[in-house]
Amino acid sequence: MMKEEPEKAPIKVAVFSSKKWVLDSFSEVNKDFNFELSYFESRMYEKTVPLAKGFDAICVFVNDSLQAPVIEMLKENGVKLIALRCAGFNNVDVKKAYEKGIGVVRVPAYSPYAVAEHTLGLILSLNRKFHKAYSRVRDGNFALDGLLGFDLNEKTVGVIGTGKIGQIFINLVKGFNCKVLAYDKFPNKKLEEDGLEYVGLQELYANSDVISLHCPLNHETYHIINDYAISSMKDNVMIVNTSRGKLIDSVAVINGLKSGKVGYLGLDVYEEEEKLFFEDLSETVIQDDQFVRLQTFPNVLITSHQAFFTREAVNNIAQTTFSNIKEYLETGKSENELINA
Ligand code: NAD
């Protein structure tokens, strides 16, 4: 008689920072994977690590904080894998994780179009003030004063970071007949051959009407937009950040807005967003004075880290995250491991 294979225990995954959209998309995609999923609304940080006990993998997002002490505790709790359901990994001490024998996987690209298109949306809204026009017209105020914009046609757009998102964004603004100046620590030869003009940062600052950030956050890019950078820019410049909050020194940009040097600011990310974004704080007194100050400017438009948030991206996030977890836990490696990043 054939011996029956013992049934494999399901892979247990704890999903942190879970909101309704995470639960909906992950549960749907899990029909193909059959993981044992537990959803936790809270962020992963020192206080919430005990929740990870007994799970094979934890799944985390942009505002979970996995520095060395958290990694140590994950190891003690038996976690084998950290699965980031995002591209950026500045919030994880990857070196420490590997020292402890914990793998780290991510979703390197889920929809660069989503982020590039949202960036363009911020630019158009800041310029043509759709958000103000919408409320005005609903209030029966049909006056145009205060809504004056400018033609994007022939303006110069400076793009810092010409990776997946930066390249799509460049194509979008080229469609508006903008001139593009690009800066990247590792310029892309192919793009250069195709006519993209790479310049130094100072030249980009001095000549751009709009500056858009598409580089990762690391020790070199932390506060890349600081007092000095802003002082090198054109008067009335538009700065847009859909990459990571800490690329911009908030105090410097507030000073730039107060002096009028910065004419427009579009943010989808903010330095201290962990304490704010993704939560409904409408009944709460916000304690972050810098954030509140930013909101008082008429020429600042902030969205709460939603640039990625399209149907296509959310589905890709769930699919790739689960494939990464399955591949890593079954084979001990994954093509989306950060060791390969
Ligand atoms: P990518 O890795 O494809 O491109 C990043 C580019 O930045 C690369 O060309 C790289 O050479 C360049 N770069 C690296 N170090 C640099 C430096 N010191 N100075 C200038 N350029 C440098 O990444 P991507 O998919 O295009 O994503 C870009 C960033 O967008 C991510 O790091 C992430 O932080 C952010 N992002 C935000 C959202 C959102 O919802 N707001 C979603 C996804 C990604």
Side-chain angles (χ1 to χ4, degrees):
M1 216 169 82
M2 286 254 289
K3 245 193 179 172
E4 257 185 51
E5 286 258 334
E7 217 173 279
K8 264 206 212 153
I11 292 172
K12 291 184 181 170
V13 183
V15 186
F16 284 83
S17 297
S18 281
K19 300 292 176 206
K20 185 179 176 300
W21 68 266
V22 178
L23 203 145
D24 289 348
S25 60
F26 275 43
S27 299
E28 181 60 33
V29 172
N30 193 40
K31 287 178 185 161
D32 295 333
F33 288 85
N34 292 317
F35 293 151
E36 194 176 304
L37 297 178
S38 298
Y39 296 98
F40 297 102
E41 258 210 61
S42 50
R43 285 199 306 126
M44 163 62 76
Y45 66 112
E46 272 102 330
K47 277 196 181 158
T48 55
V49 186
L51 294 171
K53 195 171 175 60
F55 288 93
D56 300 297
I58 59 157
C59 175
V60 292
F61 198 43
V62 290
N63 288 334
D64 294 283
S65 178
L66 289 89
Q67 300 313 321
V70 169
I71 306 272
E72 303 264 5
M73 287 190 266
L74 286 176
K75 178 71 188 172
E76 283 164 27
N77 285 335
V79 171
K80 301 179 201 75
L81 179 67
I82 296 165
L84 282 153
R85 54 180 188 274
C86 52
F89 49 91
N90 51 282
N91 53 333
V92 180
D93 188 337
V94 177
K95 191 163 165 264
K96 187 77 189 173
Y98 276 93
E99 263 170 44
K100 291 281 158 191
I102 299 175
V104 187
V105 289
R106 67 166 174 155
V107 184
Y110 34 90
S111 173
Y113 302 98
V115 183
E117 289 168 13
H118 189 82
T119 309
L120 186 66
L122 284 175
I123 292 171
L124 291 172
S125 302
L126 275 167
N127 177 15
R128 305 306 299 270
K129 302 163 181 66
F130 297 135
H131 50 309
K132 293 185 184 179
Y134 172 80
S135 319
R136 273 196 195 186
V137 170
R138 283 176 74 99
D139 276 352
N141 175 356
F142 305 107
L144 296 185
D145 289 332
L147 300 183
L148 190 66
F150 59 84
D151 287 3
L152 270 174
N153 179 46
E154 292 189 345
K155 293 294 181 298
T156 300
V157 178
V159 180
I160 302 180
T162 56
K164 291 177 284 296
I165 295 169
Q167 285 175 43
I168 292 164
F169 174 71
I170 287 169
N171 286 337
L172 294 181
V173 292
K174 278 191 172 160
F176 284 77
N177 198 30
C178 291
K179 175 179 175 177
V180 175
L181 294 178
Y183 171 78
D184 196 299
K185 190 176 176 199
F186 309 100
N188 181 320
K189 289 257 153 34
K190 169 87 177 59
L191 296 178
E192 216 165 5
E193 281 162 19
D194 291 347
L196 180 63
E197 188 177 350
Y198 279 102
V199 293
L201 267 183
Q202 283 307 114
E203 192 176 338
L204 183 147
Y205 292 150
N207 293 294
S208 299
D209 302 292
V210 175
I211 295 174
S212 193
L213 304 175
H214 299 290
C215 58
L217 172 67
N218 55 39
H219 66 280
E220 285 171 344
T221 57
Y222 174 80
H223 282 186
I224 191 169
I225 304 299
N226 53 25
D227 280 321
Y228 180 65
I230 291 171
S231 70
S232 315
M233 293 175 190
K234 274 185 159 183
D235 290 342
N236 209 31
V237 64
M238 181 188 289
I239 303 174
V240 182
N241 186 9
T242 55
S243 200
R244 281 292 179 268
K246 288 184 172 64
L247 295 177
I248 295 187
D249 175 350
S250 303
V251 175
V253 86
I254 287 170
N255 288 333
L257 285 158
K258 281 166 79 176
S259 72
K261 182 79 178 171
V262 178
Y264 312 78
L265 177 69
L267 300 179
D268 186 54
V269 288
Y270 167 66
E271 278 207 84
E272 304 296 332
E273 69 178 49
E274 294 83 354
K275 298 182 200 99
L276 301 169
F277 287 6
F278 305 138
E279 303 300 330
D280 178 358
L281 302 179
S282 49
E283 299 298 321
T284 309
V285 175
I286 307 279
Q287 299 297 322
D288 184 331
D289 291 349
Q290 273 170 24
F291 184 78
V292 175
R293 181 68 180 103
L294 280 171
Q295 281 183 306
T296 65
F297 293 100
N299 46 355
V300 172
L301 180 54
I302 306 176
T303 52
S304 77
H305 211 135
Q306 71 169 83
F308 73 97
F309 200 47
T310 64
R311 248 193 303 279
E312 291 80 359
V314 165
N315 185 50
N316 288 341
I317 286 172
Q319 289 283 357
T320 308
T321 301
F322 286 177
S323 299
N324 288 345
I325 294 173
K326 185 171 156 54
E327 190 187 11
Y328 184 89
L329 291 178
E330 285 182 359
T331 68
K333 49 185 192 287
S334 158
E335 61 168 333
N336 290 326
E337 241 183 297
L338 273 169
I339 214 160
N340 302 321

